[in-house]
Amino acid sequence: MSTLTLRRRPLVLRRLPGLQGLGGFLLRRMVSAVATLLAITVIVYAVFYIVPGNVAQITCGERCSPAQVHQVAAQLHLDDPVYQRYWDFLRGIVAGRSFSTGTSIEHCAAPCLGLSYRSDQQVTELITAKLPVTGSLALGSLVIYLLLGVGTGLLAAWRRGRVSERLLTGLTLAGTATPVFVIGLLLMIVVCGQLQWLPFPQYVPLTEDPEQWAWNLLLPWTSLALIEAAKYARVTRAAILETLAEDHVRTFRAYGLSERSVLGRHALRGALAPVIALAANDFGSMFGGAVLTETLFGLPGIGQALVSAVNVADLPVVVGMVLVTGFFVVLANLVADVLYAVADRRVVLV
Amino acid sequence: MSLVEVHGLTVEYDTTRAVDDLSFSLNKGAALGLVGESGSGKSTVAAALLGLHRGTGARVTGSLLVAGTDVQRATDEELRGLRGARAAMVFQDPLSSLDPYYAVGNQIAEVYRRHTRAGRRAARERALQVLDQVGIPDAARRARMRPHEFSGGMRQRALIAMAMACEPELLIADEPTTALDVTVQAQILDLLHSLREDTGMGLLLVTHDVGVAAESVDDVLVMRSGRAVERGPINTVLRTPAESYTRELLGAVPRVDAPTAPRAAITGDALLTATGLRRDFGRGRRSVTAVDGVSLTLHRGETLGIVGESGSGKTTLGRMLVGLLGPTAGTLAHGAERPRVQMVFQDPVASLNPRRSIGESIADPLRAQGEREGARLRARVGDLLQRVGLDPAHYDRYPHEFSGGQRQRVGIARALAPSPDLIVCDEPVSSLDVTTQAQVIALLAEIQQDLGLALVFIAHDLAVVRQVSDRVAVMKEGSVVEYGTVEEVYGAPRDPYTQRLLAAVPTLDPVVATERRTARRALTPTW
Amino acid sequence: MSEALLPTGPVADELQPLPASGGRQFLRRLRSQPATLVAAGIVVLLIVVALAAPLLTALEGQDPTTYHPHLVDSARGGVPVGPLGGISAEHWLGVEPQTGRDLFARLVYGARVSLGVAFAATFVQLVIGLAVGLGAGLGSGWLDQILSRITDIIIALPLMIMALAVLAIVPPSFPRPVLVAVIIGLIAWGSTAKIVRAHTITLKQLDHVAAARLSGWNTWHIARRELLPALAAPVITYGALLIPLNITVEAALSFLGVGVKPPTPSWGQMITSANVWYQAAPQYLLFPAGALFVTVLSMTVFGDGIRTALDPRAASRLRIGTGRRREAKA
Amino acid sequence: AGPKDKDEGAKGTPHKGGTLTILNTEAQTDFDPARLYTSGGGNVPSLVFRTLTTRNRANGAAGSKVVPDLATDLGTPSKNATVWTYTLKKGIKYEDGSPITSADIKYGIERSFAAELSGGAPYLRDWLVGGAGYPGPYKDKKGLDSIETPDARTIVFHLNKPEGEFPFLATQTQFTPVPRSKDDGTKYENHPLSSGPYRVISNENDGEHLVLERNRYWSAANDTQRKSYPDRIDVRSGLDSAVINQRLSASQGTDAAAVTTDTNLGPAELAKISGDKSLAARVGTGHFGYTNYLAFNPKVKPFDNPKVREAIAYAIDRSSVINAVGGTSLAEPATTFLPNQEAFGYTPYDPFPAGKSGNPKKAREVLAEAGYKHGITLTLTHANQDPEAGPEIATAVQDALKKAGITVKLRGLEINQYRDAYKDVKAEPGFFLARWGADWPSGGPFLAPIFDGRQVVKDGANFNHAQLDDPAVNKEIDAINKLTDLNAAAKRWGALDKRISAQALDVPLFHPVYKRLYGKDVKNIVISNWTGVLDVSQVAVK
Ligand SMILES: Nc1ncnc2c1ncn2[C@@H]1O[C@H](COP(=O)(O)OP(=O)(O)OP(=O)(O)O)[C@@H](O)[C@H]1O
Ligand SMILES: Nc1ncnc2c1ncn2[C@@H]1O[C@H](COP(=O)(O)OP(=O)(O)OP(=O)(O)O)[C@@H](O)[C@H]1O
Ligand SMILES: [Mg+2]
Ligand SMILES: [Mg+2]
């Protein structure tokens, strides 16, 4: 079983430091991750195979003649049976592939995810170009919404049931209830347009200018954070209330600790597990799911590229990018499990 | 001057009056035992002393003066100043009373810093000091461990260390040894005693076990239904009890040395035969062998007692016998018919669904047997409740509304409900006061007579096991080190471990207790 | 799984109503929370408004699709003429820019779609999530393996992309709101399943579950009677979060052009198109956004209340040892 | 703050230097002259790629003229306009200093036939002798015989039918020279060899971010069209249209020297700008030859009945359709199929007058004549997400026809599905939203693909939605194509348009108007009727 089990057997002296057996755990997870990713590619291939739209015509252009369309179809191997195409795709990942640029043969080294129908770029190159953007977006917003969400969750748990808590909840929920393109645009209009506090976001690579990188991403981060924070606030609040009912919290109250340290140190710590799990999921899905944020802020990331690839039926790009986003989801969950075991030593990695 | 001055204390929960017009006082450096049956309000009194009811919806009236603080009138801040600093509490359940996420040493240091403004380093040193003081070996290393890496006894010690950290004037210990086996229990009680001698703090020991009180306190207050029944020096109360209730209480205390009624010879046919039962947990290097090569036979109508220290595999064996755990190796054979089995679980908190009323929980196995008629169910459950000494009107109450002992009785009622062939009782009476304990034991015996059921009786209280069992198995580190009839095991124990266990049993005679303590102190502790 | 299940007896398993007393207690606990009651009232009101949309618009004398070109200023991009976006006795909340369609009518009809889609999608998510999570948590090794892998796959598939693809596959004659709800439900149940599975694994190790097993109940009964009630708390909390998320997912799908189709209004769609109008015609954004906000807030408060009321311990556990202000009330 | 000196603002004197930023929604993909499908050489592409001829960079109608670029003149027709001969200017060079030859132009055209480099316009394939079956130079090394290069400065084209508008075609980027030695197939787009005033410094992610800088070897002496004031051009794309307009209106930092080539002002923004004089002064208005219309497939019932089509034409409410796309400043009502510009031969007519907001009464009458006294239910097919064929217009049509007793059911398709459907004669819906834009400002590329019976494509992309195959129409198209006098041709296109309109094969809805904001430092705004948007080769930022 490749998951976590929290053993709740008291009265037991267990000399099992949480991270023992990490190697075996990672190996097992790796195998299942590969299987998961393989399944994802099959699903995406199958789904996009049925999606209507004459791929050759779309790729060739509106006014291509039937003869040209046939040429393009042959060029892209669209006439091959779907299993053949899938097999070629798999082979490309393991052994690389070769493509004709017309004047020469281009080798796409393993792991080769194929060539974009639309731009003839190697999908792996495309992904490497876009990954830093999406990664920056995901990572930065993760930090902000964790701080914001867990913070307000803590505050909400502290003021539970009071008017101030309802207000706080209302504020954070306003974020959840508003689509990102509304929050983002309003923020941009006000912060960049009217107040001119920040530049209109424009991606600057971290390696180029870290300071500009951060300033330009601040708004996208904040917009995402405002939306996600409520979820974390809710989960944190619920988990804290759950922990507050536990006996060890009573101990610290009985030892004169203030409500603040009871909440901030003891109850919050117990709330970490669900927050970590949630953050892992969100962080992973951010790689494929920040479509709207990327579109709105003009960040050339994976999500935006994915949507446009879907629109022009660029199957290699779609499959490649879904595979990569899937990879990050799986990775994030794996990291979460390990973090979880570090945070709570009672957890045994199985 | 008195350390604790309680006057007319009344505590009311939603529907119950847990403490009713109670008054007592405790002088500096003195030790008071609070004894009484389960549910008599002992824990409630303890909690009230620290003002722990504040804000919970419980109504507290009367005056409480603790270490110079008027608990009823104090501000939150004043109350926090009292808690832990001048009056510290050791809770009834040591196992869940520490934060699982932080190192034990840090938790103690945190409490110390809260009250002393000591620096980080000083606090850590103090933590090591108190851990050492309560006899945790290799304190420097242990302080960095998390609670789950401690054994039950060590955790109890850690809690006492936390209480000691700020050198309180008053220590409130609520059933500090209930969950521990006798050897560890003896160690803890000895520890409390020596701490009191060394630091001169006052002790309020809450217990249902008169034996425990006898070993540790000067004065005793007997409670019943929230009221004081009798109060006096421990010697007087134990030797010449004034109240009939006290007499009853004392009379019910089982003694290891008391003569037992000869039990009828075992005639029933074999219900279960276990051969070479073994159970491992975890795999690879991390695996733990909880039970190792246990073979035994259970007959209809007999009672098998299982004793042994914490972690010796008693519960694991019990769970295998009822089929809740599959054995890693060995077989479990049964006669022609598969016996119907039930279990009374060790942890009364976890064994009841907190979202269902206790009546529903007890009715559950009956429902499973096909009984659907509401009125009949209610009647049957009411009957069972009464038999375990609970009020049938409590059908609709939820587990959290009961005291520890009451919950355990609910568990027994549920196990009895479907009239099984075998009940494995895992520490069924460990948190019951002696009178209730006697009732429950009598009840089990009666039902065993009526139905001819077999019992497996897991307990750390050697006297109780002796009282109820036909045969006894002594477990240590997963194996049965001694197995035989009660007479054989208690009369002529062969294994040194069994001998040690018997020596640690508390006695009702304070004088004897002191003698034994000195004797024990001569030996190096073996935790 | 290490714990062997006992053979189950020949026990008929019928649905039993919650014991009356339990239900009554639940209601009593619910009633003792005024905020929850207010929230519940708002939720009910919203549902009534959605259901009675035709009636309400008839009362106003408008419908959600008729254009009123004369009510918008074509030369200025189609901004509504008149004060406050054309609020008048005929048009209670003014009209939509560009088309002049009645905003009130669109808002109440939009409630139908948005609430309908969100509730239905959440329902599908919770049902699948519960089934898969319970199955994985309780099932034997291989069942857990299979269900967990499927969950992993579902989580790893990007929602928007799959929705785009699937919505393109299904013929346009299929009713859109239903489709959108089903798709969101079918693609986004992964995290619910994970949460349920984790809770199930913790819960099933508790002794009261073992006790139920010893009583002879089968796994299904145990799942229903012992686990489900305990799962209700996290699931309700999560469900209350899912509803607004699903409303915004529908809006996002509209943004990408695959949501509910015009002229059918939905709140998400209204907010999406009103977005750029916030300076020229603020009420166009404020009304649907406000409606959505009130919905989300009341759903959450209501969810909290139910969760609290479901837990018999809640009354005494929620307020352990906090200040004395509360005591006066209690 | 008011203007500091008179050089401020759009009216100021342009100077060389600075960086022009272009903020776009769509990436400049396929930056390869073979693959681009542009009108008049495109906006950004024409900064890098020079062609035989190009559009006249002038405001308004004057901008609809075609003028020589690499060639010395608009070409010499012979053999009844089936042979066109061009001579290249002297001293024209690539960015590496090497000379541009006629062979390179021939090669550039040939490679546009390669399947690897698909995407361009269909005319070369249809017009050049042997074009239809030519697979491009990678597969067929021999080359196209119908293009001759007798010497390095002369190039001769042999067409399979008379085409008086060949000079227009020669503006397209396929006529850009590409030296065979520099061709690296699909990779060429990353660093295409510049013949224009700017060269590509970097092309990130298929045109997402393009940086152009001056080409030292370009000389204004032999290029009268391109002004090339800025030193550097920074094209950023993938931006949200609302954000682009916000940035241009805020106009801070680099955005002060920014323009957009693909993003219109939206209705909400127009509503706001209409109250802000300083902003309104920074809006460029342009007209591009373009018509949005309702298309019928008369092979599908009940649209085979001309009366049904007429009834719809009478019922249509153009003002609500126009409101749906942003009001009168973003669209002008259309009653003719040809755009309302002289270059197209615009001849006003309105065969089924519907007034400003429809004539439901007349529509009902006509409908009754058609046999539908009690109304009729129709299905209108549209795209789900498309500003021009999307649900906004569809619902406006739906609402307008309701008044005439016509119940319209909407069938929204995903964009690819929609395109596949309406271009496939077998799947073509009976009634759908369509639009047509001019490849160059003339009636030819407007009417021929839509109404020429020989252009009905049975097994591919068909644009003759009515599948009209009228010998008289076909004959007239052939006759006009022979004319090399473009003014004379324009008149006859207009007349043909009017003649076809009587059949009610479509209902013209509107001609879009482009309203584009530009940054406050942008000067020398030139908006021709050819492109309708400000010409980036003309603007200055200093
Ligand atoms: N939170 C509560 N709500 C309602 N009733 C309660 C609560 N806590 C305790 N009680 C009731 O108050 C009475 C006294 O409980 P208390 O825990 O003080 O007993 P105790 O003497 O410590 O018993 P035990 O020895 O079993 O621990 C019991 O009848 C119990 O049912
Ligand atoms: N679920 C489990 N996973 C891993 N180890 C376990 C598990 N249950 C029990 N053990 C181990 O098995 C050993 C025996 O435990 P068991 O609970 O049977 O002891 P016990 O004799 O009942 O102790 P106590 O008197 O404290 O209840 C312990 O060392 C414990 O660590
Ligand atoms: Mg107690
Ligand atoms: Mg045990």
Side-chain angles (χ1 to χ4, degrees), chain B residues 68 121 124 162 165 197 213 271 331 333 336 342 368 402 426 436 445 474 493 502:
Chain B
R121 183 185 294 268
R124 183 138 337 130
M162 181 183 282
E197 280 181 355
L271 260 182
T331 53
Q342 279 293 325
F402 291 89
D426 195 356
T436 324
V474 181
L502 286 168

Side-chain angles (χ1 to χ4, degrees), chain A residues 54 68 120 130 192 311, chain D residues 35 125 208 252 416 420:
Chain A
N54 182 344
Q68 285 174 303
D120 298 305
K130 294 179 180 296
C192 309
N311 284 337
Chain D
R35 306 194 69 167
R125 171 193 80 217
E208 221 162 60
Q252 352 148 1
N416 288 332
D420 276 3

Side-chain angles (χ1 to χ4, degrees), chain A residues 167-204:
Chain A
L167 273 177
L168 198 67
T169 309
L171 268 179
T172 47
L173 283 174
T176 303
T178 323
V180 70
F181 40 85
V182 176
I183 292 202
L185 189 65
L186 293 190
L187 272 180
M188 229 180 323
I189 291 177
V190 174
V191 177
C192 309
Q194 292 172 352
L195 302 172
Q196 312 204 346
W197 285 347
L198 283 176
F200 280 96
Q202 180 164 303
Y203 183 71
V204 178

Side-chain angles (χ1 to χ4, degrees), chain B residues 197-454:
Chain B
E197 280 181 355
D198 297 350
T199 63
M201 69 180 178
L203 174 68
L204 184 77
L205 181 70
V206 175
T207 181
H208 65 263
D209 187 335
V210 190
V212 167
E215 295 228 342
S216 328
V217 297
D218 316 321
D219 284 340
V220 69
L221 174 70
V222 182
M223 280 184 74
R224 188 186 194 185
S225 313
R227 291 174 161 277
V229 175
E230 181 167 0
R231 172 173 186 172
I234 183 90
N235 277 332
T236 326
V237 174
L238 289 189
R239 291 227 171 101
T240 52
E243 295 293 320
S244 62
Y245 177 69
T246 316
R247 272 196 293 278
E248 226 174 275
L249 200 64
L250 291 173
V253 174
R255 291 160 200 251
V256 211
D257 44 4
T260 48
R263 294 180 62 97
I266 301 142
T267 50
D269 32 321
L271 260 182
L272 274 179
T273 313
T275 11
L277 278 188
R278 178 195 166 95
R279 173 71 202 198
D280 300 333
F281 288 106
R283 48 177 137 162
R285 273 178 296 136
R286 295 170 297 135
S287 101
V288 175
T289 304
V291 169
D292 197 1
V294 171
S295 303
L296 45 85
T297 309
L298 275 173
H299 298 272
R300 204 173 277 284
E302 88 163 325
T303 301
L304 171 69
I306 301 181
V307 294
E309 66 183 358
S310 175
S312 58
K314 305 186 294 291
T315 301
T316 308
L317 178 60
R319 290 175 89 95
M320 282 197 285
L321 290 178
V322 295
L324 280 174
L325 271 178
T328 313
T331 53
L332 195 63
H334 54 79
E337 218 181 310
R338 190 186 285 274
R340 282 169 304 161
V341 291
Q342 279 293 325
M343 183 150 181
V344 177
F345 293 90
Q346 181 170 9
D347 181 358
V349 182
S351 72
L352 293 172
N353 187 341
R355 288 160 208 281
R356 298 176 77 183
S357 71
I358 55 123
E360 284 299 307
S361 287
I362 298 172
D364 203 42
L366 295 172
R367 285 227 167 83
Q369 286 184 340
E371 180 60 84
R372 288 286 185 274
E373 228 249 276
R376 268 214 299 276
L377 275 175
R378 241 174 202 278
R380 178 95 178 83
V381 171
D383 180 40
L384 283 162
L385 282 173
Q386 213 149 23
R387 292 187 87 163
V388 296
L390 291 170
D391 186 349
H394 289 170
Y395 186 101
D396 292 324
R397 283 223 208 161
Y398 286 88
H400 72 276
E401 294 175 80
F402 291 89
S403 77
Q406 289 168 331
R407 281 182 224 172
Q408 210 159 38
R409 282 181 269 168
V410 173
I412 294 171
R414 178 179 53 193
L416 288 176
S419 322
D421 301 315
L422 163 68
I423 302 180
V424 173
C425 304
D426 195 356
E427 310 268 12
V429 292
S430 61
S431 41
L432 298 186
D433 60 286
V434 280
T435 36
T436 324
Q437 186 173 311
Q439 280 168 21
V440 169
I441 288 169
L443 168 72
L444 285 173
E446 185 188 325
I447 292 171
Q448 188 171 35
Q449 292 265 297
D450 291 359
L451 306 174
L453 60 77

Side-chain angles (χ1 to χ4, degrees), chain C residues 264-290:
Chain C
T264 315
S266 84
W267 288 353
Q269 212 183 50
M270 290 171 80
I271 294 173
T272 309
S273 43
N275 195 14
V276 289
W277 283 97
Y278 105 101
Q279 282 164 310
Q283 99 288 352
Y284 185 28
L285 179 59
L286 289 181
F287 287 130

Side-chain angles (χ1 to χ4, degrees), chain D residues 206-540:
Chain D
D206 197 20
E208 221 162 60
H209 183 198
L210 263 181
V211 180
L212 309 180
E213 271 178 15
R214 277 191 195 289
N215 169 10
R216 285 194 294 133
Y217 290 95
W218 172 86
S219 146
N222 58 34
D223 189 345
T224 52
Q225 292 303 315
R226 299 169 182 83
K227 293 285 182 281
S228 67
Y229 289 115
D231 290 338
R232 189 181 156 92
I233 293 176
D234 192 349
V235 188
R236 296 219 171 236
S237 54
L239 300 166
D240 184 73
S241 54
V243 175
I244 292 178
N245 287 322
Q246 279 298 328
R247 287 178 65 166
L248 291 174
S249 76
S251 202
Q252 352 148 1
T254 55
D255 293 347
V259 300
T260 173
T261 64
D262 73 352
T263 302
N264 248 349
L265 281 169
E269 289 136 353
L270 278 171
K272 195 185 137 226
I273 284 173
S274 66
D276 185 335
K277 277 225 174 62
S278 71
L279 268 186
R282 285 202 272 125
V283 175
T285 304
H287 298 263
F288 172 58
Y290 207 91
T291 304
N292 291 68
Y293 59 99
L294 292 172
F296 298 112
N297 176 2
K299 300 251 170 350
V300 172
K301 277 190 181 314
F303 306 103
D304 55 341
N305 187 341
K307 290 286 177 201
V308 172
R309 307 199 297 258
E310 284 172 25
I312 293 172
Y314 279 117
I316 198 68
D317 178 345
R318 288 195 174 83
S319 51
S320 54
V321 170
I322 284 172
N323 280 345
V325 295
T328 52
S329 39
L330 287 180
E332 291 165 354
T335 59
T336 64
F337 188 71
L338 280 179
N340 48 356
Q341 292 178 26
E342 202 185 337
F344 288 86
Y346 174 64
T347 311
Y349 62 81
D350 193 357
F352 314 106
K356 270 187 77 160
S357 50
N359 187 350
K361 209 169 129 255
K362 178 73 180 165
R364 275 179 201 275
E365 282 168 32
V366 177
L367 207 56
E369 284 171 40
Y372 299 100
K373 264 208 194 60
H374 305 294
I376 184 171
T377 300
L378 307 171
T379 301
L380 175 64
T381 303
H382 63 93
N384 275 338
Q385 175 82 335
D386 185 299
E388 295 179 81
E392 296 81 8
I393 302 178
T395 46
V397 171
Q398 181 187 43
D399 183 65
L401 299 195
K402 196 166 68 186
K403 298 191 191 92
I406 303 171
T407 309
V408 175
K409 286 207 179 115
L410 300 182
R411 175 169 168 256
L413 300 178
E414 300 318 319
I415 188 77
N416 288 332
Q417 212 176 349
Y418 166 74
R419 287 193 184 132
D420 276 3
Y422 84 77
K423 286 187 292 198
D424 180 353
V425 286
K426 292 179 283 290
E428 190 186 330
F431 184 32
F432 58 98
L433 293 181
R435 78 281 198 146
W436 194 253
D439 287 339
W440 55 79
S442 158
F446 224 90
L447 294 180
I450 311 296
F451 296 116
D452 187 334
R454 290 146 309 173
Q455 296 213 28
V456 177
V457 185
K458 291 265 187 267
D459 55 349
N462 170 51
F463 294 92
N464 186 338
H465 57 83
Q467 297 170 42
L468 178 72
D469 193 2
D470 180 340
V473 172
N474 297 351
K475 210 169 131 238
E476 176 66 4
I477 291 176
D478 287 346
I480 309 174
N481 277 340
K482 288 203 182 82
L483 301 178
T484 50
D485 174 355
L486 299 176
N487 289 330
K491 290 213 174 60
R492 284 181 63 182
W493 288 123
L496 178 62
D497 181 34
K498 182 169 179 179
R499 205 165 94 198
I500 298 172
S501 75
Q503 297 187 43
L505 294 172
D506 52 70
V507 180
L509 294 175
F510 62 93
H511 305 298
V513 177
Y514 294 165
K515 292 271 184 196
R516 303 253 161 109
L517 204 53
Y518 47 83
K520 59 178 190 282
D521 291 348
V522 177
K523 302 181 177 71
N524 206 37
I525 311 297
V526 173
I527 299 174
S528 71
N529 278 0
W530 188 314
T531 62
V533 301
L534 99 179
D535 198 316
V536 290
S537 71
Q538 308 300 304
V539 301

